[in-house]
DNA sequence: CGGCTCATGTAATTCGTTACATGATTCT
DNA sequence: AGAATCATGTAACGAATTACATGAGCCG
């Protein structure tokens, strides 16, 4: 039984406590989405599948008349999460339109600096978002989310520096 | 008419000279795949679509009895490539199972160092591959592919350093 | 002659996003 | 009262991978 990585995102988040599909989505949007996003269109069907497979269990916890299902890990779900954590990570995918445009920038004047500036903006925005959630991550008892966040921060800072250097290089060439 | 980014990979590569689908695939595998991969399952159908749209043109250039179709950019294809290069890059997606495992590493002892070591291995392998193709990129008249490659090299080096620091930090914590 | 590279394609499947639909609760 | 948030879900679509099928040419 090989599950999708998104299924393990769910198992991983439920390991920290029971949640509804809605809560899972909002936690993802404030944490893993920087390196693994997930939408409702994945989460709800996946919750059903995982429940059918006995890895999680849903209990109805309505708030007033509004129906609400809270899921929690079962023993075999916890075991499956641990098994997955122990094996080698396989998926590493990047799709970066900015680098693509820089790669082909020879075909249009001005495209290079535009692509680099856009990347710089993107990195700075990401850095701001990461810094915003950092206090929360820092305060948590589990230190690993904060470690991942620090990786993201350092990477963004590195990328911003690189863009600045690349832009300076382009300007030198233009002057020559 | 909004094309997929993969379509622009094709237009961009054909800008540097006519190619067959097979050649496009092999150039992608030696260059853009680090930030934008493409498979035959995308390339051949896309070539047909682009030809129907009049952005590229295929001519039969058999080698012996083996059929072979070489595609080249049309005037409107070149124009469309330039248009795309001028607009803001939109797609930036990362799917990194290693960071995911590090994020959830609190649930399994040993998972953290395993995830970081795996990432380090991955980065070093990528670095080797990039260094292998660097001489070719450096020699090319178009300097932008080499610029992108240097970004990849610097990023990999940064990531390796980060992994080393993170592993040292984990060891300090274990000792404490 | 056998294996590798050149060359083209398709079918099935997976993965994921976007947009929509619906309705209750809480806050201002 | 109206807006924002909580909550659950589905349908349509798009993007991309994998696996398969087929066959010619080239090198040792």
């Amino acid at each position: 039984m090989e599950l999708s990585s998104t299924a393990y995102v769910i198992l991983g988040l439920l390991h920290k406590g029971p949640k509804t599909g809605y809560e899972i989505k909002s936690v993802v949007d404030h944490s893993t989405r920087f390196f693994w996003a997930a939408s409702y269109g994945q989460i709800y069907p996946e919750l059903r599948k995982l429940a059918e497979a006995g890895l999680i269990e849903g209990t109805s916890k309505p708030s007033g008349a509004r129906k609400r299902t809270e899921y929690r890990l079962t023993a075999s779900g916890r075991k499956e999460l641990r098994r997955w954590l122990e094996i080698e990570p396989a998926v590493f995918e990047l799709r970066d339109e900015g680098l693509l445009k820089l790669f082909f920038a020879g075909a249009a004047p001005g495209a290079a600096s535009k692509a680099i500036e856009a990347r710089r903006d993107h990195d700075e925005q990401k850095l701001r978002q990461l810094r915003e959630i950092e206090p929360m991550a820092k305060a948590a008892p589990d230190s690993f989310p904060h470690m991942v966040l620090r990786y993201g921060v350092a990477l963004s800072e590195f990328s911003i520096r690189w863009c600045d250097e690349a832009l300076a290089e382009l300007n030198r060439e233009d002057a020559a």
Side-chain angles (χ1 to χ4, degrees), chain A residues 19-175:
Chain A
K19 278 166 197 65
T20 66
Y22 184 83
E23 285 167 336
I24 287 171
K25 167 70 169 151
S26 100
V27 174
V28 163
D29 283 346
H30 290 90
S31 56
T32 70
R33 83 164 149 123
F34 294 102
F35 49 94
W36 206 287
S39 61
Y40 288 126
Q42 283 175 277
I43 292 169
Y44 284 110
E46 195 67 56
L47 283 170
R48 187 170 292 180
K49 273 186 242 164
L50 289 171
E52 272 164 27
L55 299 172
I56 64 176
E57 210 172 32
T59 35
S60 182
K61 291 270 180 73
S63 88
R66 184 206 282 160
K67 68 174 176 173
R68 191 170 166 280
T69 308
E70 227 177 53
Y71 291 89
R72 65 168 193 284
L73 270 190
T74 63
S76 62
R78 196 167 288 112
K79 201 175 151 193
E80 176 58 20
L81 173 64
R82 270 193 233 113
R83 191 195 64 77
W84 174 77
L85 284 171
E86 298 291 345
I87 59 175
E88 197 89 339
V91 183
F92 180 87
E93 280 165 35
L94 183 62
R95 298 219 151 232
D96 189 319
E97 219 184 44
L99 289 180
L100 208 50
K101 291 193 180 188
L102 183 55
F103 189 88
F104 294 125
S113 55
K114 232 176 209 165
I116 299 174
E117 275 158 27
R119 154 160 300 272
R120 204 193 178 285
D121 287 350
H122 180 269
D123 288 332
E124 272 200 327
Q125 200 199 321
K126 193 171 138 192
L127 185 58
R128 270 196 303 278
Q129 290 170 340
L130 291 174
R131 288 222 193 276
E132 243 171 65
I133 56 179
E134 191 165 16
M136 230 180 5
K138 203 171 185 175
D142 180 355
S143 69
F144 295 112
H146 185 230
M147 195 170 196
V148 172
L149 188 141
R150 273 153 49 212
Y151 181 78
V153 166
L155 199 68
S156 302
E157 288 172 340
F158 162 84
S159 187
I160 290 168
R161 275 198 309 280
W162 189 90
C163 289
D164 288 337
E165 284 164 33
L167 285 169
E169 196 182 310
L170 283 184
N171 288 335
R172 274 199 303 283
E173 274 169 34
D174 283 353

